[in-house]
Amino acid sequence: MANGFPLLPKKLPANSLNKLRNPFCKSLCSHHVEPPPNPPQPTAEPTTADPHDQTHCRHEQVRKLRILLQNNRTDTARRLLKSLLPSSSPCDLFSLFSLSSPSLKTTFSNLLLSLCADSNLPDQATDVYQLMKNDNVYLDLSSFNAYLESLVRSGQYQKTLDLFNEVVCCGIRVDKFTYGKAVQAAVKMGDLERGMGILTDMKRLGVRANGFVYNMLIGGLCKEKRVEDARKLFDEMIRKRVAANRVTYNTLIDGYCKAGDLEEAFRVRVRMKEENVEPSIVTFNTLLSGVCRGKRMEEVTRVLEEMKSYGFVPDGFTYSIIFDGHSRCGNVEAAVDMFDEVVQKGVQINGYTCSILLNGLCKEGKVDKAEEILRKLIENGLVPTEVIYNTIVNGYCRAGEMDKALSTVEQMEIHGLKPSCITFNMLISKFCDSGDMVEAAEWVKKMAGRGVAPDSQTYNILIDGFGRSCQFESCFQILEEMESNGVKPNVVSYGSLVNRLCKDGRLLEAEITLRDMINRGVLPNAQIYNMLIDGHCTAGKIKDAFRFFDEMKTSGIVPTVVTHNSLIHGLCKKGRLVEAEELALQIESEGLKPDVITYNSLLSGYSDLQNTEKAMELYESMKNAGIKPTLKTFHPLISVCSKDGVVLMEKVVQEMLQMNLTPDRPIYNECIHCYSKHGDVQKVLALYEEMVDCGVQPDKMTYNSLITARFKEGKLQEVKVLFDEMKARGLVPKADTYSILIKGHCDLNDCSGAYLLYREMLENGFLPDISSCNELVSGLRKQGRLKETQLILSEMSITKGLDNWCTNEDLSAVAKM
């Protein structure tokens, strides 16, 4: 009993606080576990035997235990005690032995505690520990360590740390095994700082940490992606001559792989070889997982060859990693080729490996091939799982082949597998996506008919589907149905409804839904407030948007960058740029960072105000902040720069191209419009040709600029060709195009052509603008075509009122004729 310690009394002596030596320990009182009430007295067992005989039998067994312990036959005593545990509670045995053999209480108690711990009975061990504590029984360190290990094994990490702190804070020396269990508990809880603190205390107290402690901490750090901190601990481990084993190296390799630093992962593997630490199949699977995640499939062969050189045969899990790698690279053909090779080698494909391969094929739309492979595997003895069939069902749903998806569900049932909620939810979701809400609702009934109760996700899918179809009454009915069926609506249920109501402009109903949600005890999150704020900003109701912003903060919900961006965008659309910039500065004061959307909104605002200087200043600030511009950055930037001339516009476009951003239609249109306005017809035509060659389809704005450019050349025939081409592409000309054509023909003194276009314009339900009408009337008057002039004035007086059109002396003069 030399390696032991007395258990703590219920109340520590007043001077016991002087023994607290570990700074990471809290007050013992905060960790003290209340002892149970008076130990339960032995009770009669519920059997038909005579209770007196049972008691006598138990006393006889205790007598035998006493004799065995007196003769130091501990192993035999342990076996006897273990045989008694199923029928007698540890508390009963403790009480009985304490009464009959008080001199051997310490030996027996420690034996009982360690036996409960080793038998995976942590709760019973806790009861024994408390009884020992109440009686102030001297506790053997090995029994205490076994007890701690049982707590860790059962996931009772907080209790492990509480007990560890309790003994260490009272100055009781424990060994490295005890420290190891405490570190393990802290890491398992995700409290790495506490784990590192325990290691620090070990060093301070001169307790040499072993490989287990270092491995646990390195593993915890890698899991939190703190791989550089893990490496520092590894280096410390080597400096202190603590042997790094296979687990250490595998953990570090995995950490670097998951962090995307494959070069360092391979360097750790080289060091592992230099230290003569034998790898395992886990080592190579980890490296394969890293190269496949990094889409470096050319390195797979090298890793496999090294793996085989150590005598390891790739297993199903190995191939599942490689299948996933090919899928990530979009090379499912290579995955299929490898599958054929694997089958020929006779490698057994399990359900997990199969599901990885099939999932890759389904993502690429090769669902028929996936089903063909599944059939082959079933023929070769694979027992399909629900996950495998769900993969196929999901693949057909995504491809829109619902007949095949339903057929797969039937095959699933033929193989004795019952479709689950997940299966039905995939089908229902697809019907909702395609807008077939009748069929979606029908499948909910079929689902219930097959004994599968709809879950919250099922209802949420329906709410979102009906919301997209603007069938909001059905959405509210589903919320009521959920409640009546015992399924509590969650934040997603309400979020889908609020989102759809906001997008449909039904902002009052969206707010009512928010209030109903809160009244039913479902707390809204930042996303729901963001929807409401964005909806009100889009509708121009900035005051209401800020009302929700204030409510959000009052409710303790932290606004996100998305929240601020919606408000900034709304303010910019209203031209309130000063307030928008102030709000952007507020983002950083709240510990957040403005993103590309923040800057794009501000740029759009200054572009609308045609403030080129401020827009360029923002653009430079954005780059200096390390925020990469997007195409949406250049839309307003090029637009505002083009107002200041071709040179600045070209400079910005060149920067955009250097960032490997491919111009889209708005950017081509802005550039073509700018060149057209400045009369550079050759650049207009060159850009148009480039645009079409790149597969960017022109729109009406493109043709308006092209037509304007051709007018400046005086080429009416080319204008007609463009106008006909525009209509041939299905782009129906509207008032802006007709006004450009009328004005252009008038400028070239082709009033006849302008008048014909005017007539076509009226027939199509459009009216010319004041300027075009003035030019047409003026031109016709000069040519003496007073009949057409009078007709135009008459038509304009009927449709718009004459006063609206008498904007110059020429038209007024004609009106008086």
Side-chain angles (χ1 to χ4, degrees):
M1 285 297 173
N3 192 18
F5 51 87
L7 279 170
L8 307 176
K10 287 184 184 178
K11 291 186 179 178
L12 289 172
N15 63 352
S16 66
L17 291 177
N18 296 329
K19 294 183 179 180
L20 298 182
R21 303 204 288 248
N22 288 20
F24 70 89
C25 293
K26 298 179 181 178
S27 168
L28 178 62
C29 298
S30 64
H31 294 287
H32 180 66
V33 182
E34 284 298 322
N38 292 330
Q41 297 301 313
T43 56
E45 297 178 13
T47 64
T48 55
D50 187 339
H52 177 75
D53 290 342
Q54 289 180 24
T55 303
H56 176 75
C57 179
R58 196 154 41 199
H59 277 284
E60 180 60 24
Q61 298 294 348
V62 168
R63 187 183 69 80
K64 288 179 182 178
L65 276 171
R66 184 182 69 247
I67 293 169
L68 289 170
L69 291 174
Q70 284 172 339
N71 289 284
N72 292 321
R73 294 176 62 186
T74 310
D75 291 341
T76 308
R78 185 182 180 88
R79 286 195 295 273
L80 175 58
L81 186 56
K82 187 174 183 179
S83 69
L84 295 175
L85 281 180
S87 58
S88 301
S89 79
C91 292
D92 288 349
L93 291 169
F94 180 89
S95 300
L96 193 59
F97 199 93
S98 297
L99 292 171
S100 64
S101 309
S103 62
L104 292 170
K105 183 195 287 189
T106 298
T107 305
F108 173 77
S109 301
N110 281 288
L111 180 65
L112 182 60
L113 178 63
S114 64
L115 182 61
C116 288
D118 293 341
S119 302
N120 288 322
L121 300 171
D123 293 336
Q124 289 87 332
T126 297
D127 291 340
V128 173
Y129 176 81
Q130 289 298 336
L131 290 168
M132 293 173 71
K133 185 175 176 180
N134 292 344
D135 284 1
N136 202 22
V137 176
Y138 195 82
L139 179 65
D140 184 66
L141 182 58
S142 63
S143 301
F144 181 70
N145 284 344
Y147 174 38
L148 284 188
E149 185 169 27
S150 74
L151 291 174
V152 172
R153 210 166 38 232
S154 63
Q156 299 183 53
Y157 307 126
Q158 187 59 56
K159 184 180 281 188
T160 303
L161 289 168
D162 289 347
L163 286 168
F164 173 77
N165 285 347
E166 191 174 88
V167 297
V168 175
C169 283
C170 288
I172 297 167
R173 292 187 65 83
V174 292
D175 61 10
K176 62 181 66 177
F177 184 91
T178 321
Y179 278 107
K181 290 295 117 182
V183 168
Q184 186 180 9
V187 171
K188 291 285 187 183
M189 282 177 66
D191 192 347
L192 273 174
E193 298 313 311
R194 194 168 183 180
M196 293 296 289
I198 295 171
L199 176 62
T200 301
D201 280 294
M202 289 179 76
K203 296 173 190 174
R204 184 176 55 79
L205 295 169
V207 181
R208 179 179 165 82
N210 56 17
F212 177 83
V213 169
Y214 279 108
N215 285 347
M216 286 303 305
L217 290 169
I218 288 169
L221 289 166
C222 286
K223 189 175 182 181
E224 289 196 0
K225 297 184 179 177
R226 293 169 57 184
V227 68
E228 287 310 312
D229 290 334
R231 183 55 181 263
K232 287 175 187 174
L233 210 54
F234 172 79
D235 292 338
E236 176 189 305
M237 182 180 183
I238 300 302
R239 278 197 314 274
K240 291 182 177 291
R241 300 185 181 280
V242 179
N245 60 15
R246 190 160 55 195
V247 173
T248 320
Y249 283 104
N250 285 351
T251 302
L252 205 53
I253 289 169
D254 185 56
Y256 278 118
C257 284
K258 285 177 178 170
D261 192 347
L262 287 173
E263 282 68 27
E264 196 58 42
F266 278 110
R267 278 194 283 272
V268 174
R269 169 68 191 118
V270 168
R271 181 164 185 172
M272 186 179 184
K273 283 193 278 190
E274 291 171 350
E275 297 295 331
N276 294 316
V277 177
E278 284 293 309
S280 65
I281 195 168
V282 173
T283 314
F284 298 107
N285 281 347
T286 302
L287 287 168
L288 283 171
S289 183
V291 298
C292 288
R293 246 195 315 263
K295 299 181 180 180
R296 289 164 55 167
M297 299 307 292
E298 68 280 359
E299 297 183 61
V300 166
T301 304
R302 176 163 69 91
V303 178
L304 282 175
E305 285 174 356
E306 187 185 2
M307 180 181 184
K308 290 171 186 173
S309 72
Y310 279 88
F312 295 113
V313 178
D315 58 10
F317 183 69
T318 308
Y319 286 113
S320 70
I321 293 168
I322 302 171
F323 291 152
D324 183 58
H326 286 306
S327 175
R328 286 172 184 266
C329 295
N331 190 1
V332 290
E333 289 79 9
V336 172
D337 290 342
M338 176 164 275
F339 167 75
D340 293 335
E341 181 186 325
V342 167
V343 170
Q344 287 174 6
K345 287 180 179 178
V347 177
Q348 193 68 32
I349 300 292
N350 60 21
Y352 175 76
T353 309
C354 173
S355 65
I356 294 292
L357 174 61
L358 300 185
N359 188 48
L361 287 165
C362 289
K363 279 184 177 177
E364 290 295 312
K366 299 181 183 294
V367 193
D368 289 336
K369 183 65 179 177
E371 193 165 25
E372 178 190 324
I373 287 174
L374 178 58
R375 277 197 299 271
K376 284 182 183 177
L377 288 170
I378 291 172
E379 288 168 7
N380 290 333
L382 175 77
V383 178
T385 63
E386 181 196 325
V387 172
I388 289 173
Y389 274 113
N390 282 347
T391 301
I392 302 289
V393 171
N394 191 37
Y396 279 129
C397 284
R398 281 194 296 199
E401 298 186 67
M402 296 308 292
D403 289 342
K404 289 183 177 179
L406 298 175
S407 174
T408 305
V409 174
E410 290 174 6
Q411 288 297 315
M412 187 176 183
E413 291 176 311
I414 288 169
H415 282 90
L417 294 167
K418 183 180 178 182
S420 67
C421 224
I422 295 170
T423 317
F424 287 108
N425 286 348
M426 288 187 291
L427 296 170
I428 294 163
S429 180
K430 184 58 187 180
F431 286 123
C432 289
D433 287 343
S434 59
D436 192 349
M437 297 310 299
V438 173
E439 194 67 23
E442 187 60 34
W443 271 92
V444 175
K445 292 177 185 174
K446 289 180 182 178
M447 178 181 184
R450 296 189 192 186
V452 180
D455 62 4
S456 59
Q457 188 181 358
T458 315
Y459 288 114
N460 291 346
I461 291 167
L462 286 171
I463 290 169
D464 189 60
F466 280 117
R468 272 183 287 170
S469 302
C470 295
Q471 299 180 50
F472 296 110
E473 199 58 45
S474 296
C475 295
F476 289 111
Q477 286 173 4
I478 290 168
L479 284 172
E480 294 300 324
E481 186 181 326
M482 285 178 82
E483 293 275 13
S484 63
N485 288 342
V487 180
K488 186 175 174 61
N490 54 29
V491 72
V492 178
S493 316
Y494 285 102
S496 294
L497 182 52
V498 168
N499 184 40
R500 295 301 169 188
L501 287 167
C502 287
K503 288 191 182 304
D504 199 48
R506 301 170 72 156
L507 301 176
L508 179 59
E509 288 167 274
E511 183 169 359
I512 291 169
T513 303
L514 172 72
R515 303 300 165 215
D516 179 61
M517 172 184 182
I518 294 169
N519 290 337
R520 290 174 187 258
V522 181
L523 297 178
N525 55 19
Q527 285 70 31
I528 287 187
Y529 277 107
N530 288 348
M531 294 167 193
L532 288 158
I533 289 167
D534 186 63
H536 283 83
C537 284
T538 301
K541 297 183 176 182
I542 304 297
K543 186 177 178 181
D544 285 322
F546 274 99
R547 176 168 57 85
F548 284 112
F549 181 58
D550 292 336
E551 180 182 320
M552 181 181 187
K553 290 189 289 185
T554 305
S555 301
I557 299 167
V558 180
T560 65
V561 175
V562 175
T563 319
H564 289 88
N565 284 346
S566 293
L567 291 166
I568 289 167
H569 183 71
L571 289 167
C572 288
K573 284 295 178 188
K574 288 284 187 180
R576 294 160 63 176
L577 271 298
V578 175
E579 294 169 79
E581 284 208 70
E582 286 174 357
L583 193 57
L585 290 172
Q586 207 180 100
I587 294 177
E588 294 196 55
S589 68
E590 293 179 8
L592 302 168
K593 287 187 178 180
D595 59 12
V596 68
I597 297 171
T598 317
Y599 280 98
N600 287 352
S601 295
L602 291 167
L603 278 168
S604 292
Y606 282 112
S607 177
D608 291 342
L609 294 177
Q610 297 189 21
N611 190 335
T612 308
E613 183 181 349
K614 190 64 180 176
M616 287 301 295
E617 184 185 312
L618 269 171
Y619 173 60
E620 292 302 324
S621 298
M622 178 182 185
K623 290 189 293 181
N624 292 335
I627 298 171
K628 187 178 178 181
T630 64
L631 279 177
K632 288 190 176 180
T633 309
F634 289 101
H635 289 169
L637 193 60
I638 290 171
S639 175
V640 73
C641 287
S642 67
K643 306 289 188 300
D644 277 25
V646 171
V647 176
L648 183 58
M649 182 201 76
E650 286 180 339
K651 179 190 172 187
V652 173
V653 169
Q654 197 56 40
E655 278 202 33
M656 180 194 75
L657 295 174
Q658 287 170 358
M659 293 177 188
N660 294 320
L661 293 171
T662 305
D664 58 2
R665 185 162 59 198
I667 287 172
Y668 274 115
N669 281 347
E670 282 294 343
C671 294
I672 288 171
H673 178 71
C674 182
Y675 286 127
S676 175
K677 187 172 66 175
H678 288 86
D680 195 337
V681 180
Q682 293 309 309
K683 285 192 176 178
V684 168
L685 297 175
L687 266 181
Y688 172 66
E689 189 177 336
E690 178 189 312
M691 178 183 184
V692 174
D693 288 344
C694 291
V696 180
Q697 294 299 313
D699 61 3
K700 282 179 278 191
M701 183 178 173
T702 318
Y703 279 103
N704 286 349
S705 297
L706 289 167
I707 288 167
T708 301
R710 285 302 194 183
F711 270 129
K712 288 186 177 180
E713 285 187 310
K715 294 186 176 180
L716 291 177
Q717 184 56 40
E718 281 77 357
V719 168
K720 184 179 184 310
V721 170
L722 285 169
F723 188 51
D724 291 342
E725 183 183 309
M726 177 182 177
K727 290 190 282 189
R729 284 181 179 270
L731 299 170
V732 179
K734 292 190 178 179
D736 55 347
T737 307
Y738 281 113
S739 293
I740 291 168
L741 287 164
I742 291 169
K743 187 177 183 307
H745 279 277
C746 288
D747 288 344
L748 296 175
N749 295 317
D750 181 17
C751 291
S752 296
Y755 183 71
L756 289 173
L757 286 162
Y758 164 76
R759 298 249 58 92
E760 182 180 323
M761 185 179 187
L762 286 186
E763 287 170 9
N764 289 332
F766 300 112
L767 295 175
D769 59 31
I770 295 171
S771 175
S772 301
C773 190
N774 282 346
E775 289 200 37
L776 178 56
V777 169
S778 179
L780 289 170
R781 185 182 67 79
K782 285 177 183 177
Q783 291 181 3
R785 299 174 62 174
L786 302 181
K787 183 180 178 182
E788 287 94 333
T789 302
Q790 195 64 47
L791 181 60
I792 292 172
L793 291 171
S794 174
E795 287 170 337
M796 292 303 102
S797 66
I798 294 170
T799 55
K800 296 287 287 183
L802 184 62
D803 291 341
N804 292 336
W805 294 93
C806 295
T807 58
N808 61 27
E809 292 179 5
D810 290 337
L811 195 52
S812 298
V814 173
K816 293 173 182 176
M817 290 179 180

